[in-house]
Amino acid sequence: MNIVSPSLSRASVGLPDEPGYDPTLAAWKPEWPQADGTRKRIGAVGTPHFDESRTREEFRVIKRHLVSRIQAPPADSTRNPRTILITSASPREGKTTVTLGLAMSFMFEQDVRVVLIDADMRSPELSRRMGLSKETGLLDYLEDDRLEVQDIVYPTSIKGIFAIPAGLPRITAPELICGNRMKLLLDVLFQGMGNGFVVIDSGSVLSCSETISLAFHAGQILFVATKGQTKRADVDEGLGRLHRQAGPIDDTRVSMVFNKTSRSQSPVRYSRKT
């Protein structure tokens, strides 16, 4: 099933017109290889057990749930539902595995592109697993006005899926992510992709202040919790913090993904609850 959306303008992605905004701003174009003929390092996209039908179908269920919200968004929403933030209450809940599994589920869609952003500055696991840890990435772009979006977007082993690694660690990471250049990055990505998605692998809500800033941009949030590990009090506090500082948070915007459920012995089985 194809995902169809109207052409994207600044207003359609939830960004108001700004003084001096140029609607002809050069957008990043997802090309393979790059337009100048050069080949960047290719990020590896893979997750354990995805070739097993049950795991694959569970990620498809999550994907279809997210897509249904795009097709029928809340009337009062000002955020782009194609920007999906993946977070949790605490570290090591399986956010990166969910990010990669969700991305792989999109490879079955026709003409849909996905950009994965590693925004977990405490533990950039997505960059590590994709083999892009040492590459120019998000923080480099946010700090250096000379860099352009195409300088930090990398092709991956799956056509149609692209990646932005975390970049060089900086003590100013929270302030950089809070800045206007983060909004500009998302704007340019969507101008270039059109019918696409941005999936942000972020830090945990209770330990990373920048996750709240990222939540302001996200039309949808996947909140990952691990069976037998995550405390209910931490989930409540994490969701409460998102609601107070980047809300509203309700079942039209947030989905719970339960990791390592008892339905299987596999470490990468998921269930969904809204």
Side-chain angles (χ1 to χ4, degrees):
M1 174 174 137
N2 292 345
I3 305 172
V4 180
S5 69
S7 59
L8 290 168
S9 64
R10 190 172 179 83
S12 71
V13 298
L15 297 173
D17 289 333
E18 294 180 346
Y21 171 70
D22 181 5
T24 64
L25 178 67
W28 163 74
K29 296 295 183 183
E31 295 166 330
W32 188 285
Q34 301 301 304
D36 61 4
T38 62
R39 288 185 177 272
K40 289 185 176 179
R41 184 178 181 89
I42 296 177
V45 173
T47 190
H49 305 279
F50 190 82
D51 57 343
E52 296 178 7
S53 60
R54 185 169 180 177
T55 299
R56 188 166 55 245
E57 288 307 311
E58 287 176 341
F59 278 116
R60 277 174 159 162
V61 167
I62 297 172
K63 177 190 67 176
R64 295 260 57 91
H65 178 71
L66 296 171
V67 170
S68 69
R69 289 178 169 176
I70 293 170
Q71 295 170 338
D76 58 349
S77 176
T78 60
R79 297 178 174 91
N80 185 2
R82 292 181 178 273
T83 301
I84 302 166
L85 179 71
I86 299 182
T87 188
S88 64
S90 304
R92 295 181 294 277
E93 302 276 15
K95 298 184 297 296
T96 299
T97 296
V98 172
T99 299
L100 290 170
L102 179 63
M104 292 179 71
S105 74
F106 276 108
M107 71 182 178
F108 301 111
E109 303 285 347
Q110 296 294 317
D111 302 320
V112 173
R113 298 180 177 90
V114 179
V115 176
L116 308 178
I117 300 179
D118 189 350
D120 187 347
M121 300 310 164
R122 306 298 194 281
S123 179
E125 179 68 9
L126 181 63
S127 300
R128 186 192 68 78
R129 288 174 63 172
M130 298 185 76
L132 298 173
S133 295
K134 298 181 180 180
E135 304 300 321
T136 302
L138 176 63
L139 292 180
D140 305 297
Y141 170 84
L142 296 179
E143 185 175 76
D144 189 348
D145 291 344
R146 296 170 298 178
L147 289 175
E148 298 183 4
V149 172
Q150 59 263 33
D151 295 325
I152 63 168
V153 180
Y154 296 80
T156 72
S157 54
I158 297 179
K159 190 170 183 179
I161 299 178
F162 299 82
I164 297 178
L168 184 68
R170 289 165 171 80
I171 196 172
T172 56
E175 289 75 20
L176 290 172
I177 288 177
C178 289
N180 292 332
R181 200 157 160 82
M182 184 70 204
K183 182 173 65 173
L184 174 64
L185 170 62
L186 295 173
D187 195 9
V188 173
L189 288 175
F190 279 113
Q191 287 191 52
M193 282 194 299
N195 186 29
F197 296 83
V198 172
V199 180
I200 304 173
D201 184 10
S202 74
S204 54
V205 175
L206 300 183
S207 62
C208 301
S209 60
E210 57 266 28
T211 300
I212 298 297
S213 300
L214 292 167
F216 277 103
H217 301 290
Q220 301 197 63
I221 298 173
L222 288 182
F223 198 96
V224 181
T226 300
K227 181 179 176 61
Q229 173 181 321
T230 309
K231 297 178 181 178
R232 175 59 184 268
D234 290 342
V235 172
D236 291 343
E237 174 58 25
L239 291 173
R241 189 171 298 183
L242 284 171
H243 182 72
R244 292 189 300 271
Q245 300 180 32
I249 296 297
D250 55 28
D251 60 5
T252 66
R253 189 177 170 209
V254 176
S255 297
M256 292 292 300
V257 178
F258 293 101
N259 179 14
K260 304 177 186 176
T261 64
S262 58
R263 291 196 301 155
S264 168
Q265 298 300 314
S266 168
V268 289
R269 300 295 190 184
Y270 298 89
S271 61
R272 171 186 54 80
K273 181 179 180 182
T274 58

